């Protein structure tokens, strides 16, 4: 029988970079740089551990369906994934740890010349463009603000600039992207950081491989 192998799903960029030190703390070194390689499966110094590179929004899907045993993804991605599957708890992903990496916030932003507070006060119906439809819907519903949501897949900053939307809901880190596009952050919605997600069946079957990684991650993020 071949040795059980552990597969970790990561997305390129900030999550990959900020997960590397945690992997190192667990004794795992990724042997190739995704920025230099076209490979989608990266070997590690451990023959029984490999990393697969997927789109950030596909990480929960890979882990849910067992394409990966565990993964790292933003709280934003998880909330949207759960909403697609009928709400939190319905997906069955084990979420043991907030890794406190790739921190940012989800916020409402508008053109600098748009009086958001006044529009809300007057009960105006707002056109809101976002990739994060579930988060935006819940947020505005909780405020009692009527919105028409426009689903976009990227470059949300363009929507208010072209007149397509009054506001956007997007991730903000330094605020530089908003500033460069003459947008202002008017209301924070939630703090975001990346979480570890684990396939519950894998946790049972590959417990002796997964447990030490969970422990090392927990210690490194404590
Ligand atoms: P910033 O200019 O630093 O405020 O970054 C904002 C841009 O980076 C937006 O386009 C966001 O969608 C994206 N962004 C910022 N932080 C994150 C994160 N932690 N994960 C994914 N995208 C992010």
């Amino acid at each position: 029988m071949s040795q059980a192998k552990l597969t970790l799903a990561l997305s390129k960029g900030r999550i990959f970079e900020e997960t590397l030190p945690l992997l190192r703390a667990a004794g795992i070194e990724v042997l190739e740089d995704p920025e230099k390689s076209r490979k989608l499966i990266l070997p590690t110094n451990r023959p029984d551990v490999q990393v697969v590179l997927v789109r950030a929004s596909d990480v929960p899907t890979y882990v849910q369906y067992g394409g990966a045993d565990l993964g790292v993804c933003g709280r934003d991605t998880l909330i949207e994934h759960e909403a697609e599957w009928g709400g939190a708890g319905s997906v069955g992903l084990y979420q043991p740890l907030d890794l406190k990496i790739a921190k940012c916030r989800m916020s409402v932003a508008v053109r600098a010349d748009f009086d958001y507070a006044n529009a809300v006060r007057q009960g105006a119906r707002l056109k809101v463009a976002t990739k994060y439809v579930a988060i935006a819907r819940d947020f505005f519903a909780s405020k009692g603000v009527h919105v028409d949501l426009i689903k976009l897949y990227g470059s949300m900053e363009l929507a208010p600039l072209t007149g397509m939307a009054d506001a956007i809901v997007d991730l903000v880190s330094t605020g530089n992207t908003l500033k460069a596009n003459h947008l202002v952050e008017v209301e924070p919605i939630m703090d975001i950081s990346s979480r570890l997600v684990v396939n519950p069946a894998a946790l049972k079957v590959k417990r002796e491989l997964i447990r030490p990684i969970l422990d090392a991650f927990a210690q490194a993020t404590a």
Side-chain angles (χ1 to χ4, degrees):
M1 206 174 91
S2 66
Q3 196 189 11
K5 201 163 182 127
L6 201 64
T7 300
L8 169 69
L10 296 176
S11 53
K12 274 192 194 183
R14 238 181 117 176
I15 286 182
F16 183 86
E17 298 301 327
E18 295 187 27
T19 302
L20 286 184
L22 301 177
L23 286 172
R24 219 162 275 142
I28 299 166
E29 296 280 347
V30 181
L31 297 179
E32 291 200 39
D33 177 355
E35 300 305 331
K36 295 192 185 130
S37 160
R38 285 176 171 271
K39 281 189 187 169
L40 296 175
I41 301 181
L42 306 180
T44 73
N45 62 327
R46 293 242 318 249
D48 55 349
V49 180
Q50 64 184 4
V51 168
V52 292
L53 294 174
V54 302
R55 277 182 73 120
S57 52
D58 288 337
V59 167
T61 309
Y62 269 83
V63 177
Q64 182 178 345
Y65 284 104
D69 301 300
L70 57 174
V72 177
C73 64
R75 182 185 176 202
D76 50 315
T77 306
L78 266 175
I79 294 174
E80 293 296 326
H81 181 81
E82 284 168 345
E84 218 168 285
W85 282 84
S90 57
V91 176
L93 286 174
Y94 178 49
Q95 298 175 36
L97 281 176
D98 177 357
L99 299 176
K100 300 176 190 139
I101 59 169
K103 284 186 180 176
C104 58
R105 58 192 179 275
M106 185 76 69
S107 289
V108 183
V110 299
R111 268 166 65 142
D113 59 4
F114 181 77
D115 191 344
Y116 173 77
N118 191 46
V120 167
R121 211 177 306 118
Q122 299 204 330
R125 194 174 181 95
L126 298 179
K127 282 184 282 180
V128 178
T130 188
K131 191 158 100 180
Y132 308 98
V133 171
I135 291 172
R137 185 181 296 118
D138 283 359
F139 174 72
F140 287 109
S142 74
K143 279 174 67 79
V145 174
H146 293 289
V147 291
D148 292 318
L149 291 173
I150 303 170
K151 166 89 183 184
L152 289 177
Y153 293 88
S155 301
M156 282 161 264
E157 300 82 12
L158 260 182
L161 301 180
T162 56
M164 185 167 79
D166 303 307
I168 60 171
V169 166
D170 195 8
L171 296 174
V172 182
S173 180
T174 60
N176 289 339
T177 305
L178 292 180
K179 204 179 293 169
N181 291 293
H182 310 290
L183 300 177
V184 289
E185 188 179 358
V186 284
E187 206 169 13
I189 297 178
M190 61 174 71
D191 288 328
I192 301 287
S193 57
S194 287
R195 315 285 156 124
L196 185 67
V197 288
V198 184
N199 178 289
L203 185 59
K204 282 199 196 115
V205 178
K206 303 181 184 176
R207 194 174 186 86
E208 69 289 357
L209 281 174
I210 294 176
R211 203 67 245 179
I213 296 175
L214 292 192
D215 292 343
F217 277 23
Q219 215 168 17
T221 55

